Amino acid sequence: MRKKNGLMVGIDLGGTSMTAVALNGRGRILASRKRSTCPDLGPEGVTRRIAATVRKLLNDLGTKSKRVQGVGIGAPGTVDPEKGVVLYAPNLSWQDHPLAKMLGRLLSLPVTLDNDVNGGAVGEHALGSGKGANNLVAIFVGTGIGGGVILNNRLYHGSYGGAGEVGHIKILADGPLCGCGRKGCAEGLASRTAMERDMRQAVDSGRASRVPNIMARMGRERMTSRVIQEALREGDPLMREILQRAQHCLGLLVASLVNLLDPDCVVIGGGIADRLKDEFLEPIRATATRHILRAPHLEPVRIVPSRLGDHAGSVGAAVIAWNRLAGINPTES
Amino acid sequence: MRKKNGLMVGIDLGGTSMTAVALNGRGRILASRKRSTCPDLGPEGVTRRIAATVRKLLNDLGTKSKRVQGVGIGAPGTVDPEKGVVLYAPNLSWQDHPLAKMLGRLLSLPVTLDNDVNGGAVGEHALGSGKGANNLVAIFVGTGIGGGVILNNRLYHGSYGGAGEVGHIKILADGPLCGCGRKGCAEGLASRTAMERDMRQAVDSGRASRVPNIMARMGRERMTSRVIQEALREGDPLMREILQRAQHCLGLLVASLVNLLDPDCVVIGGGIADRLKDEFLEPIRATATRHILRAPHLEPVRIVPSRLGDHAGSVGAAVIAWNRLAGINPTES
């Protein structure tokens, strides 16, 4: 059971970096650590690196570290939450890695595993902008597009643990190639990677943009959220055009999700949403609203920005671990 | 509670016709009736017509009619299952009609209301080809495209009763106009209405097809499933091409649903699926399989044809009524 005074560690494991937080029983973050993942270390090396990060976090907590009851971790890929095994994580080149067991042994703490974006959805639902929603869909836009689905106040995993792949809902039949190798996915149209591809193609074909200069000036190899923000600030028309196209596609994605699942809340997060805030969200909301099918007197769905930002995944991983310690079915949030 | 020997009446109310069945406790249909809806009679006139149809069905049952415990009805539109009110049924031009109460008074039987395609999904899940699935999506292709979602063995209604609108998931951003007045919906690309529109446009622009002749010969004003079947039988290339395009879009729709909800079963029904059987289903399955994101060792989802055909909706309405009489939450199946 959740001890009144207890703390929980939550970890969001990404392909490039990991974030760890220590959360108290009222959902406050008492300490946090961020560190690169170094996937080249392989599954066991990365697991040891996670353990080291948690130890640093415990150190930051000082005497409070004794109150830590367990660890929740979200991994980027398909997981078996009951067995604590990462089944398949293409970003890390992992297959069938017993992460929870190994990390638990290294830390002598109970470890709960789920998917990283599922964690993000749970975080926003429990402690972020989705608070109070019964049914919620979270969409995180970054190098890819991930998401999570909360139904009847519980995280929904699907029949084989694969639910929530909002980035691979088709938006444009036979459209541009997605990172998954298929055509027409939302991720291939509206992720930061897709926008960067569109920018490169346009610039290569001779269109003018300040983006290459901004990237050089900032010393960035990729079109990061900060680059996008700066290009918009400088009034770059091509950047605006590419962003608008992505926002239109995201609006159609939101409408599709609402027409299927009729949630009371859609949360939109990820680096670009966190940085651009309403400038990112408002056009998505406008397109979605036009395409949502609604009987005349039904409540409108809330379409809101993430509130936990970078911490949604780690906070959510801790919440999942807490619910699990409290005896709630491990395949639910 | 469900009496061992009891019967339940299920009604599928459509914009053009209504189907009523009497179902026994083992899911067998003991009698059925089909009759035109005559929406011009208005909500009260149609309700009296439904009551008359049920009385005929009870008459067909003879002495067994005493075993009827109640009536379940599925209406085409948004409903409030708890209050038994049809909130909005554009096909019938109804708004806020207290169907369950009025029909219950006319028949002196308890009446349970839900949406018609929700009924179809429940029917296929309880007694059709979706038997045994935990999570199921049903797609019915006809003049429109409707559907229903069963999650954790329960019908999922969403936050405001609007869930399951699979026909208004976007498949082709800014694509052809849908009946809902918006662009790019699955229904505007792959319903029978969409195929008929594509056929008319192609023929008007001078392309050859046997379809106009077949329609004239059969005395049909619309390109019905039978017309489509006959055109395929006669080897009409344009018909085949239009059907293939619709099947491709339906395959993308199925893939989107599976990527989001990870169900163990997808049921495809409706007049055209019932008539063409595997000729309709196989290409949908092939496209879907190519576009489904799956970790390498996960089970493949079952994509199967409806088994109850024309009776899915009425059987499902009876099952919903039975579950409700048995004390299961009325907003669940």
Side-chain angles (χ1 to χ4, degrees):
Chain A
M1 292 301 291
R2 187 192 294 210
K3 282 197 199 127
K4 224 178 171 177
N5 210 16
L7 302 179
M8 186 64 71
V9 171
I11 301 160
D12 183 1
L13 178 65
T16 51
S17 67
M18 59 178 87
T19 307
V21 299
L23 206 70
N24 74 9
R26 284 171 308 177
R28 259 198 62 207
I29 295 173
L30 300 191
S32 73
R33 281 268 176 182
K34 191 168 178 173
R35 207 177 175 196
S36 61
T37 301
C38 304
D40 292 347
L41 296 172
E44 300 189 1
V46 170
T47 308
R48 274 190 291 271
R49 200 171 163 80
I50 298 167
T53 309
V54 173
R55 277 190 214 105
K56 282 186 187 178
L57 190 79
L58 296 176
N59 202 47
D60 296 344
L61 287 170
T63 54
K64 288 183 201 150
S65 69
K66 285 179 195 146
R67 284 154 49 190
V68 170
Q69 294 184 268
V71 175
I73 182 162
T78 315
V79 304
D80 182 328
E82 296 204 41
K83 294 191 183 144
V85 173
V86 178
L87 298 173
Y88 182 58
N91 284 352
L92 296 167
S93 310
W94 288 7
Q95 206 162 326
D96 292 314
H97 174 48
L99 176 60
K101 195 191 267 180
M102 193 182 162
L103 189 61
R105 228 173 17 220
L106 289 168
L107 292 169
S108 302
L109 281 169
V111 174
T112 299
L113 173 69
D114 211 302
N115 166 274
D116 57 347
V117 263
N118 278 350
V122 170
E124 289 295 337
H125 177 247
L127 295 164
S129 54
K131 239 173 153 167
N134 279 315
N135 302 300
L136 174 149
V137 182
I139 304 172
F140 298 97
V141 183
T143 54
I145 295 180
V149 178
I150 310 276
L151 301 175
N152 299 320
N153 282 303
R154 295 280 163 88
L155 179 59
Y156 174 77
H157 281 98
S159 295
Y160 309 106
E165 289 289 1
V166 299
H168 303 281
I169 290 179
K170 307 292 163 180
I171 298 294
L172 182 66
D174 311 311
L177 199 64
C178 177
C180 76
R182 303 169 186 93
K183 287 177 172 180
C185 300
E187 181 169 306
L189 286 156
S191 64
R192 202 150 47 65
T193 314
M195 287 188 248
E196 183 172 342
R197 173 205 61 209
D198 291 347
M199 176 58 75
R200 278 190 208 282
Q201 282 176 355
V203 169
D204 286 352
S205 75
R207 288 200 55 186
S209 169
R210 308 178 67 94
V211 166
N213 279 336
I214 294 169
M215 283 168 66
R217 207 168 70 214
M218 290 187 172
R220 303 290 165 105
E221 303 237 312
R222 307 293 306 266
M223 193 173 82
T224 60
S225 303
R226 257 194 78 196
V227 171
I228 295 173
Q229 186 182 37
E230 181 55 23
L232 294 173
R233 215 187 52 78
E234 295 181 17
D236 187 70
L238 183 57
M239 186 69 251
R240 188 157 299 280
E241 184 187 315
I242 287 171
L243 179 66
Q244 279 170 353
R245 222 181 297 150
Q247 287 166 319
H248 180 62
C249 290
L250 288 169
L252 296 177
L253 173 63
V254 170
S256 294
L257 290 165
V258 172
N259 290 339
L260 179 67
L261 293 178
D262 185 23
D264 32 348
C265 185
V266 177
V267 177
I268 298 178
I272 184 167
D274 293 343
R275 194 167 280 278
L276 299 182
K277 302 205 166 64
D278 238 29
E279 186 175 4
F280 188 62
L281 213 73
E282 200 38 57
I284 297 172
R285 206 183 267 138
T287 300
T289 304
R290 276 200 306 279
H291 284 270
I292 287 170
L293 201 77
R294 270 249 177 275
H297 35 23
L298 290 189
E299 297 268 331
V301 58
R302 284 198 299 138
I303 303 170
V304 292
S306 146
R307 196 158 70 205
L308 303 178
D310 220 17
H311 283 141
S314 50
V315 165
V319 172
I320 291 174
W322 241 325
N323 290 343
R324 187 147 172 191
L325 273 181
I328 292 179
N329 185 328
T331 64
E332 292 168 345
S333 76
Chain B
M1 294 301 292
R2 188 192 292 210
K3 284 199 197 122
K4 222 178 171 176
N5 209 17
L7 302 178
M8 187 63 72
V9 171
I11 302 160
D12 183 1
L13 178 65
T16 52
S17 67
M18 58 178 88
T19 308
V21 299
L23 207 72
N24 74 9
R26 284 172 308 177
R28 258 198 64 206
I29 295 173
L30 300 190
S32 74
R33 281 268 176 181
K34 190 169 179 172
R35 206 176 175 198
S36 61
T37 300
C38 304
D40 293 346
L41 296 172
E44 300 189 1
V46 169
T47 308
R48 276 191 289 270
R49 200 171 163 80
I50 299 167
T53 308
V54 174
R55 278 190 213 104
K56 283 187 184 175
L57 190 81
L58 296 176
N59 202 47
D60 296 344
L61 287 170
T63 55
K64 287 182 203 153
S65 69
K66 285 176 197 148
R67 286 155 46 192
V68 171
Q69 295 183 267
V71 174
I73 181 161
T78 316
V79 303
D80 182 329
E82 295 204 41
K83 294 192 183 146
V85 172
V86 179
L87 297 174
Y88 183 57
N91 284 352
L92 296 167
S93 310
W94 289 7
Q95 205 162 325
D96 293 313
H97 175 48
L99 176 60
K101 193 191 267 181
M102 191 181 163
L103 189 61
R105 225 171 22 218
L106 288 169
L107 292 168
S108 302
L109 281 168
V111 174
T112 299
L113 173 70
D114 210 303
N115 166 273
D116 57 347
V117 263
N118 278 350
V122 169
E124 289 296 336
H125 178 248
L127 295 163
S129 53
K131 239 172 153 165
N134 278 316
N135 302 300
L136 173 149
V137 182
I139 304 172
F140 298 97
V141 184
T143 53
I145 295 180
V149 178
I150 309 276
L151 301 176
N152 299 320
N153 282 303
R154 295 279 163 90
L155 179 59
Y156 174 76
H157 281 98
S159 295
Y160 309 107
E165 290 289 0
V166 298
H168 302 282
I169 290 178
K170 307 291 162 179
I171 298 295
L172 182 66
D174 312 310
L177 200 65
C178 176
C180 75
R182 302 168 187 93
K183 287 178 171 180
C185 300
E187 181 170 305
L189 287 156
S191 64
R192 202 150 47 64
T193 314
M195 287 188 247
E196 183 172 341
R197 173 206 61 210
D198 292 346
M199 176 59 75
R200 278 192 209 280
Q201 283 176 355
V203 169
D204 286 352
S205 75
R207 288 200 56 186
S209 170
R210 306 179 69 94
V211 166
N213 279 336
I214 294 169
M215 283 168 67
R217 206 168 70 215
M218 289 186 172
R220 302 291 164 104
E221 303 237 314
R222 306 294 306 265
M223 193 173 82
T224 60
S225 303
R226 258 194 76 197
V227 170
I228 295 173
Q229 185 181 37
E230 180 56 24
L232 294 173
R233 216 187 51 77
E234 295 181 17
D236 187 70
L238 182 57
M239 186 70 251
R240 188 158 298 281
E241 185 188 314
I242 287 171
L243 179 66
Q244 278 171 354
R245 223 181 297 151
Q247 287 165 319
H248 180 63
C249 290
L250 288 169
L252 296 178
L253 173 63
V254 170
S256 294
L257 290 165
V258 172
N259 291 339
L260 178 68
L261 292 178
D262 185 24
D264 32 347
C265 185
V266 177
V267 177
I268 298 178
I272 185 167
D274 293 343
R275 193 166 282 279
L276 298 182
K277 302 204 166 64
D278 239 28
E279 187 176 4
F280 188 63
L281 214 73
E282 201 37 56
I284 296 173
R285 207 184 266 137
T287 300
T289 304
R290 275 199 307 278
H291 285 270
I292 287 170
L293 201 78
R294 268 248 177 277
H297 35 23
L298 291 188
E299 298 267 331
V301 58
R302 287 198 297 137
I303 302 171
V304 293
S306 145
R307 195 158 72 205
L308 303 178
D310 219 17
H311 284 141
S314 50
V315 165
V319 171
I320 291 174
W322 241 326
N323 289 344
R324 189 149 172 192
L325 273 181
I328 292 178
N329 184 328
T331 64
E332 293 168 343
S333 75

